[in-house]
Amino acid sequence: MILKHSFRNVFRSPIKTALFIILLAAVTAFLCLGVNMWLSVNQSIDAANKAFKTIGVVEYRSPRDSSIDSTEGYDYSPILESNYVELFDHRWLLAGFSERLDTELFGRHRFSSHISVIEFTPVDISGDGNMIQVKINRVHHSNDFSIKEGTILSVVVSSEIESVEIGKKYLTCFIETDYEEYSVFPEARWVLPRIAEVLLGTEQSADAVMEIADEHYLDSGAGLLWAHLIQRYNNIAHTVSVHTTNDLETMLIFHQGKAVVASGRSFSQEDYREGNRVCIISATLAKINGLQPGDSLSISFSEPGFARTHAWFADYFNHLDICDESNYEVVGIYQIVGNKSRTAYDLYEDTIFIPQKSLNYQPEYPSTMDNFVSFRLTNGKVEAFLEEMEEHELPGLSFTFYDQGYSKVVGALTSMKKTALLLTGVCALVGLGIVLLFSLLFVGRQQRSIAIMYSLGTSRGKALGFLLITVLIVVFLGAGIGGVAGYSLSDRVLADVFARNTEKEAVSAAYSEVYGEDTEADFQA
């Protein structure tokens, strides 16, 4: 009976009641949007922290000479000890040798020069002695297919070379270069003046031209140095560049998705932690050598020859100084995607990756050039990290950060969260005010009806119940209509707000020097 009278009472003043219902529905709709936005933003921020990864790339330029981009023994302890650095990866560059691998194709494309070690006999000498014609008797090593036994070559003789005699046999190493500045004699080969000890990996050096005394000349004396040099050059066809890593995904080309593990799997945390002897190779290297996940490679390691300033010098495996050797299982094959222009952060396709702890050996002076030092940073802590680094003296170091668009997404979400809190608070207060206002006006208008109810013997509780039910009917009608409307519009409104805030953040970030050119991750808020 009370419920029936309450419904009748609500519609005795339909215009006023409808007005309160509309106001309450509007406020409830906005309140619903605010609450929905706040909950959605919190969930999206949690999801973004899991989906996005922020890395910092370390670059070094000598304070005295900006052309020097490599140093040895740099102290990275301030970065390692930072509260915002989750993982630090200082990759090592090693030369890896394996009879199973054929890398001659990569070697030929890397060098602008053709290096040959040959036995020859002079057949003609020019009047001034600067040019000689030689007949090739034997080819010990050459990456030039035109160098064959019996070929007659014109050779420019360095002024440091002592005279050679027609008819005698000699051993030498010479280079034919493609550079235009060396094309004074277009059909000539340049004789190297000396065999540098850095090539031999010994404390000794050998004369550039060695007279051959007998057929066993490579077994003793200076011939041993030449034997080492020949073997070193011949190792090129089976040598790869090896990068050790503690976290492959902190490497820029993998972080940006320009290189992906297309077959098999990437390294697991157990691989990194336990130093499992597993490796990841390029798709090109796998195709050339018929390798697939599950195959095994026996690899010997040495530090690169020549210098540590260029990764391709890892071709020169130093067989005189093997630092470690073991069998590695191929667990993954990576593919380089859209790598059209070469930069310091790209990869050569003969590069193999292994977990750093899988080696028993640690280089005394690991490489510190570009692409060899990076770290994983807590999302959203770039500015805090930079402020922390300003407290330390790090001469020559600079940082570039890549967060896959995290700063833009979370910036937009944070702005939405503030809007959601403001909207929810205001709508809650306004809604409460509307309910109180309606209650006061309704009670004031129902004083006569309550008096009649009392005169008919209605108890005080039933009278108050009548008023309360009437107010609740209006509240539920308004809140129900507003809730349905708010829920229906939430997705569209939130998407529009997120899009506008993201656009605003993108414009703001365009003027920032904190974040480098980045590839955004696919993330749906």
Side-chain angles (χ1 to χ4, degrees):
M1 185 67 69
I2 294 178
L3 184 61
K4 182 179 179 180
H5 285 296
S6 296
F7 268 109
R8 288 179 179 177
N9 200 36
V10 166
F11 295 103
R12 285 178 181 172
S13 303
I15 296 178
K16 294 181 180 180
T17 301
L19 179 62
F20 275 104
I21 290 175
I22 292 172
L23 288 174
L24 192 57
V27 171
T28 304
F30 283 107
L31 179 63
C32 183
L33 286 173
V35 173
N36 196 3
M37 184 185 297
W38 186 80
L39 293 174
S40 299
V41 165
N42 284 336
Q43 292 177 355
S44 296
I45 290 177
D46 290 341
N49 284 322
K50 297 176 182 177
F52 291 90
K53 295 180 178 66
T54 301
I55 68 166
V57 173
V58 177
E59 299 172 346
Y60 173 81
R61 296 295 181 271
S62 171
R64 296 181 180 179
D65 185 355
S66 60
S67 64
I68 299 176
D69 62 356
S70 179
T71 187
E72 296 179 342
Y74 200 99
D75 182 13
Y76 291 105
S77 57
I79 302 176
L80 282 164
E81 296 168 2
S82 171
N83 295 325
Y84 308 111
V85 174
E86 297 177 357
L87 192 146
F88 182 80
D89 191 21
H90 188 174
R91 291 173 286 278
W92 306 336
L93 168 64
L94 297 173
F97 175 85
S98 176
E99 290 284 359
R100 176 78 185 272
L101 296 175
D102 179 5
T103 62
E104 188 174 6
L105 176 65
F106 299 108
R108 285 199 298 271
H109 285 293
R110 283 181 176 187
F111 298 99
S112 60
S113 305
H114 298 299
I115 300 173
S116 303
V117 181
I118 64 166
E119 294 178 13
F120 72 92
T121 298
V123 295
D124 188 27
I125 301 177
S126 64
D128 56 10
N130 290 330
M131 178 81 74
I132 63 174
Q133 283 190 325
V134 301
K135 178 182 179 181
I136 298 177
N137 300 322
R138 181 181 177 185
V139 180
H140 289 281
H141 169 79
S142 180
N143 53 13
D144 184 349
F145 294 130
S146 67
I147 304 297
K148 301 178 181 178
E149 291 184 11
T151 304
I152 303 297
L153 300 178
S154 297
V155 179
V156 176
V157 181
S158 168
S159 60
E160 300 180 26
I161 303 301
E162 297 180 1
S163 61
V164 294
E165 300 179 19
I166 294 177
K168 288 189 175 182
K169 292 183 178 180
Y170 298 93
L171 178 70
T172 193
C173 176
F174 61 71
I175 185 170
E176 179 189 22
T177 181
D178 296 335
Y179 292 130
E180 294 182 0
E181 57 263 36
Y182 294 126
S183 61
V184 179
F185 303 96
E187 298 181 355
R189 304 294 196 270
W190 292 81
V191 177
L192 299 182
R194 294 190 67 80
I195 303 301
E197 52 266 33
V198 70
L199 290 180
L200 291 171
T202 69
E203 297 295 331
Q204 307 175 58
S205 59
D207 291 335
V209 177
M210 173 183 169
E211 184 176 349
I212 297 175
D214 55 59
E215 61 181 4
H216 302 293
Y217 66 94
L218 292 177
D219 297 337
S220 61
L224 287 175
L225 298 179
W226 281 97
H228 291 319
L229 181 66
I230 292 168
Q231 183 174 351
R232 189 163 189 172
Y233 278 136
N234 286 334
N235 285 339
I236 293 175
H238 305 285
T239 302
V240 293
S241 300
V242 178
H243 287 188
T244 70
T245 179
N246 289 317
D247 188 358
L248 189 64
E249 292 183 359
T250 65
M251 194 169 189
L252 183 59
I253 192 170
F254 283 94
H255 179 77
Q256 293 189 320
K258 296 178 181 178
V260 296
V261 178
S263 179
R265 66 173 178 86
S266 187
F267 295 129
S268 66
Q269 291 304 312
E270 181 185 351
D271 293 332
Y272 294 124
R273 184 177 62 255
E274 302 297 332
N276 295 336
R277 287 185 168 86
V278 293
C279 65
I280 296 176
I281 67 175
S282 75
T284 305
L285 193 62
K287 182 178 180 180
I288 291 173
N289 294 279
L291 295 170
Q292 57 186 354
D295 289 344
S296 180
L297 291 174
S298 177
I299 307 177
S300 301
F301 303 95
S302 77
E303 292 195 45
F306 282 152
R308 297 185 180 88
T309 54
H310 299 288
W312 52 86
F313 288 143
D315 274 341
Y316 291 89
F317 174 78
N318 184 357
H319 62 279
L320 296 176
D321 189 15
I322 296 176
C323 59
D324 200 358
E325 55 186 329
S326 187
N327 289 321
Y328 280 77
E329 179 189 353
V330 178
V331 295
I333 297 174
Y334 69 85
Q335 176 74 53
I336 298 176
V337 182
N339 192 18
K340 297 180 180 179
S341 59
R342 182 154 296 283
T343 71
Y345 298 96
D346 291 332
L347 283 176
Y348 286 104
E349 290 188 300
D350 73 334
T351 302
I352 288 180
F353 293 95
I354 63 174
Q356 195 162 101
K357 288 186 177 181
S358 67
L359 284 177
N360 297 320
Y361 163 83
Q362 294 188 0
E364 184 177 359
Y365 299 109
S367 300
T368 56
M369 54 190 172
D370 295 348
N371 211 26
F372 280 88
V373 181
S374 59
F375 53 91
R376 185 174 295 192
L377 198 66
T378 302
N379 286 328
K381 299 298 182 182
V382 172
E383 288 82 1
F385 172 79
L386 288 174
E387 291 178 4
E388 187 179 48
M389 290 302 103
E390 289 177 358
E391 301 174 2
H392 303 278
E393 188 173 345
L394 300 174
L397 284 193
S398 61
F399 302 96
T400 307
F401 300 94
Y402 302 87
D403 65 2
Q404 300 176 320
Y406 174 85
S407 56
K408 184 168 67 175
V409 170
V410 173
L413 290 173
T414 302
S415 178
M416 288 176 65
K417 189 172 183 178
K418 294 178 180 177
T419 302
L421 289 173
L422 179 62
L423 185 62
T424 301
V426 170
C427 288
L429 291 175
V430 172
L432 181 61
I434 291 174
V435 171
L436 290 175
L437 179 61
F438 175 78
S439 300
L440 291 175
L441 292 176
F442 177 75
V443 170
R445 192 182 56 181
Q446 296 299 319
Q447 288 181 355
R448 182 180 176 183
S449 297
I450 293 173
I452 294 173
M453 292 175 67
Y454 283 159
S455 66
L456 295 175
T458 305
S459 65
R460 183 180 182 88
K462 288 185 178 181
L464 291 176
F466 164 74
L467 295 177
L468 180 60
I469 290 173
T470 304
V471 172
L472 289 177
I473 289 173
V474 174
V475 170
F476 283 141
L477 283 173
I481 295 171
V484 171
Y487 181 80
S488 301
L489 296 173
S490 285
D491 285 346
R492 183 182 301 175
V493 172
L494 294 184
D496 291 342
V497 173
F498 179 73
R500 286 197 299 271
N501 286 347
T502 302
E503 185 177 348
K504 186 188 301 182
E505 290 293 329
V507 172
S508 177
Y511 299 95
S512 173
E513 297 179 356
V514 175
Y515 305 101
E517 180 183 355
D518 206 351
T519 301
E520 294 187 6
D522 184 13
F523 177 78
Q524 181 65 44

